[in-house]
Amino acid sequence: MTEDILVNVTPFETRVALVAQGAVQELHVERSIQRGQVGNIYLGRVVRVLPGMQSAFIDIGLERAAFIHIADLRENRLERSQGHTPTPIEKLLFEGQTLMVQVIKDPLGTKGARLSTQISIAGRMLVYLPHDPHIGISQKIDSEVERVQLRERLQALMPAEEKGGFIVRTQAEGATNEEIAADLEYLRKLWGSVQAAARTHPAPTALHRDLTLAQRVLRDMVSPNTGAIQVDSRSTTAELQEWARVYTPSVADRIRHYSGERPLFDTANVDEEIARALSRRVDLKSGGYLIVDQTEALTTVDVNTGGFVGGRSFDDTIFKTNLEAAQAIARQLRLRNLGGIVILDFIDMEDAEHRDTVLSELKKALSRDRTRMTVNGFTQLGLVEMTRKRTRDSLAHQLCEPCPMCQARGNVRTPRTVCYEILREILREARQFNPKEFRILAAQSVVDLFLEEESQHLAMLGDFVGKPISLEVEATYSQENYDIILI
């Protein structure tokens, strides 16, 4: 199945869509204002050493000097690992010294960035440690057999002259030797360019910036099934082609500049897909639909037949709806980037063969996703439990924020409920205070209800407390907000 990659570039945002079978399968968004410094490598100059704090300030070319603590110096870590007493920072660093450092924490408020001399460069399947000659395996790879195999495979692929080390990431599970070798070669080549820049540039200077979204796409998303990579910015196209020729030569010929009259994303209806991916309901072609609810703890997907009555029998209708839903669910998980625990509530099927077929179809559809997943069979309640590794914020968390009206509860109190709260509050206030008048400030819907259906109750309360009660619309208030002014 051929996959095309569309890259939409603007000064404020880069968006990448992966399109297969005429539909958007994945969407990635990176906003320039949110790009941090973490991962960037600099050649810095020590501007001040603080023996009392065992730390130093280093100029790396940012607004404020960055900060390094002795615990983040490579020499200190080495001495500790060997059981030696750490050397004081004033004997390791001096003012004016040039130092290769990496940002491990972004600047925050008045604090500068935090640095380390323990350099690490992340690839798709490996993390390269140029100064640390050992092989580590991600703790998230549980199988001891798999851990041993990955270590042995990597050792066999490493060049004899290699002095650095690697950490194997979870993405390496199931990868071929060719894929691991390509990632290894990419990281070694990248480190070579960092060293070359350090030899030819004066401090302070940036030696390596963490990859942009478009570059990460070339590194992580391109596969043998990738067709064209279309970019709607001429300058970005040239940058990506140049970057690809150095680090991923096999990809360079597929990068093309899109110059059509229609916006690039309009050619695949990407913006419409984004709008659908942010809604709870996903309509299926057959007339059925999914309801997707994302909570803090887990994501639930409920399958409904809706208006689909096309089967020969009710069981046949349910079976066909569930089959279509299995494919749609796999696509929605990928498109929305939903991670963590996912509970799938297919329509109940009595036939065990139907359940097995639906589960098989789900696993087949999920196999196209590069993210690590586990899928369990149907439980006694007829639910399918699965997990999908969290790799970044979900699409909804990236593009949306909690509703200011309902505070993400998904509902608001009715105008009548608010009216009765106000009446109780006035009664409570009347027992404690003795104002000349009570004035209610509330939303239009609440005031309208007081003037119409609840006018008699409002009048009865005014007579009971012996004070006039007036109404005033506050246009900025939500339906749940109100104030009672004592005059």
Side-chain angles (χ1 to χ4, degrees):
M1 181 175 62
T2 303
E3 299 175 337
D4 290 335
I5 296 175
L6 311 182
V7 183
N8 168 231
V9 181
T10 61
F12 49 85
E13 182 181 61
T14 298
R15 300 185 301 169
V16 175
L18 188 147
V19 181
Q21 295 180 317
V24 181
Q25 305 294 330
E26 287 185 39
L27 184 76
H28 301 259
V29 179
E30 180 180 77
R31 290 171 174 168
S32 54
I33 198 169
Q34 294 171 337
R35 284 203 75 198
Q37 308 289 337
V38 173
N40 291 357
I41 301 173
Y42 295 89
L43 189 64
R45 179 182 290 109
V46 179
V47 292
R48 190 178 178 192
V49 179
L50 305 172
M53 297 175 62
Q54 285 297 289
S55 57
F57 287 110
I58 299 179
D59 179 14
I60 58 174
L62 301 181
E63 273 185 47
R64 292 184 297 276
F67 172 85
I68 191 167
H69 188 267
I70 190 168
D72 296 313
L73 286 173
R74 190 172 69 254
E75 295 86 350
N76 175 273
R77 293 188 179 187
L78 181 61
E79 288 175 344
R80 283 182 179 276
S81 67
Q82 295 173 346
H84 300 157
T85 302
T87 305
I89 196 169
E90 60 269 25
K91 293 188 177 180
L92 296 173
L93 301 181
F94 56 88
E95 291 185 13
Q97 178 183 357
T98 58
L99 198 64
M100 186 186 295
V101 291
Q102 185 170 37
V103 177
I104 58 175
K105 190 173 183 181
D106 278 321
L108 182 63
T110 57
K111 294 182 179 179
R114 183 162 179 171
L115 306 175
S116 172
T117 58
Q118 188 74 22
I119 306 296
S120 64
I121 306 175
R124 181 180 178 183
M125 300 173 199
L126 306 171
V127 176
Y128 185 37
L129 308 172
H131 301 126
D132 194 357
H134 87 281
I135 295 177
I137 309 294
S138 170
Q139 293 181 350
K140 294 182 180 178
I141 299 177
D142 301 321
S143 169
E144 190 59 35
V145 174
E146 180 76 9
R147 294 171 68 88
V148 171
Q149 288 179 346
L150 284 169
R151 186 186 300 274
E152 291 175 350
R153 289 168 63 194
L154 181 57
Q155 285 174 332
L157 293 169
M158 286 172 59
E161 71 275 11
E162 178 57 63
K163 296 180 180 180
F166 294 88
I167 295 173
V168 180
R169 305 177 71 182
T170 54
Q171 285 87 339
E173 284 189 284
T176 64
N177 283 348
E178 289 75 17
E179 290 173 322
I180 295 175
D183 206 39
L184 188 151
E185 181 58 28
Y186 156 75
L187 289 170
R188 295 184 76 244
K189 195 177 289 186
L190 189 57
W191 173 239
S193 67
V194 170
Q195 289 180 301
R199 288 191 293 268
T200 56
H201 291 79
T205 188
L207 302 176
H208 165 71
R209 296 188 186 277
D210 199 26
L211 301 185
T212 64
L213 173 60
Q215 290 169 334
R216 292 199 303 274
V217 164
L218 297 188
R219 184 192 70 188
D220 300 342
M221 291 176 62
V222 174
S223 70
N225 296 327
T226 302
I229 303 169
Q230 299 190 68
V231 187
D232 61 6
S233 162
R234 195 177 297 278
S235 60
T236 303
T237 303
E239 289 170 8
L240 290 180
Q241 287 172 336
E242 182 180 350
W243 188 88
R245 276 192 287 270
V246 176
Y247 299 110
T248 54
S250 61
V251 177
D253 316 353
R254 302 181 230 178
I255 303 171
R256 302 168 192 163
H257 175 241
Y258 174 79
S259 56
E261 293 184 5
R262 293 176 65 196
L264 177 60
F265 269 27
D266 285 5
T267 61
N269 299 318
V270 178
D271 289 315
E272 292 178 19
E273 288 288 354
I274 293 173
R276 282 196 283 267
L278 296 177
S279 65
R280 289 182 69 225
R281 177 167 170 151
V282 179
D283 290 319
L284 306 176
K285 291 180 180 178
S286 63
Y289 61 92
L290 311 177
I291 296 294
V292 183
D293 283 313
Q294 186 180 354
T295 68
E296 192 70 27
L298 51 81
T299 297
T300 62
V301 183
D302 184 32
V303 183
N304 299 277
T305 54
F308 180 45
V309 291
R312 291 169 297 183
S313 64
F314 185 58
D315 286 347
D316 191 44
T317 298
I318 290 174
F319 177 52
K320 288 187 175 179
T321 303
N322 282 338
L323 278 178
E324 186 184 1
Q327 295 185 14
I329 287 169
R331 177 169 169 262
Q332 289 298 319
L333 294 179
R334 195 175 172 190
L335 179 61
R336 298 171 186 239
N337 196 41
L338 298 172
I341 300 170
V342 183
I343 304 296
L344 311 178
D345 186 8
F346 287 100
I347 306 167
D348 290 341
M349 293 172 285
E350 298 294 333
D351 191 327
E353 188 178 338
H354 283 182
R355 287 198 298 271
D356 291 343
T357 304
V358 168
L359 190 63
S360 175
E361 185 66 26
L362 174 67
K363 290 179 178 179
K364 180 182 175 183
L366 290 172
S367 66
R368 304 185 191 110
D369 196 334
R370 291 182 303 277
T371 304
R372 185 184 177 194
M373 282 174 287
T374 59
V375 182
N376 298 326
F378 283 89
T379 67
Q380 290 183 338
L381 296 176
L383 306 173
V384 175
E385 299 171 350
M386 63 170 290
T387 61
R388 185 175 186 271
K389 186 173 181 280
R390 295 184 191 274
T391 54
R392 63 185 193 282
D393 280 342
S394 69
L395 188 64
H397 283 163
Q398 282 185 291
L399 304 183
C400 304
E401 63 181 13
C403 169
M405 300 300 179
C406 71
Q407 299 302 318
R409 297 195 313 271
N411 51 59
V412 295
R413 292 192 290 276
T414 65
R416 196 177 305 281
T417 300
V418 177
C419 283
Y420 292 170
E421 283 184 10
I422 292 172
L423 295 179
R424 287 193 296 270
E425 183 64 26
I426 290 176
L427 190 58
R428 190 179 297 113
E429 298 285 349
R431 288 172 178 165
Q432 299 181 52
F433 306 102
N434 187 30
K436 294 180 181 179
E437 177 188 341
F438 291 96
R439 178 171 299 167
I440 300 170
L441 273 63
Q444 183 73 58
S445 57
V446 175
V447 171
D448 287 346
L449 198 61
F450 268 133
L451 292 174
E452 296 166 2
E453 298 175 33
E454 296 299 333
S455 59
Q456 186 176 357
H457 289 149
L458 188 65
M460 288 171 62
L461 181 64
D463 292 342
F464 181 79
V465 300
K467 307 291 181 184
I469 302 175
S470 60
L471 299 166
E472 183 176 328
V473 174
E474 179 53 66
T476 60
Y477 282 12
S478 72
Q479 189 165 285
E480 293 188 330
N481 294 139
Y482 64 84
D483 280 310
I484 299 171
I485 310 297
L486 309 183
I487 299 176

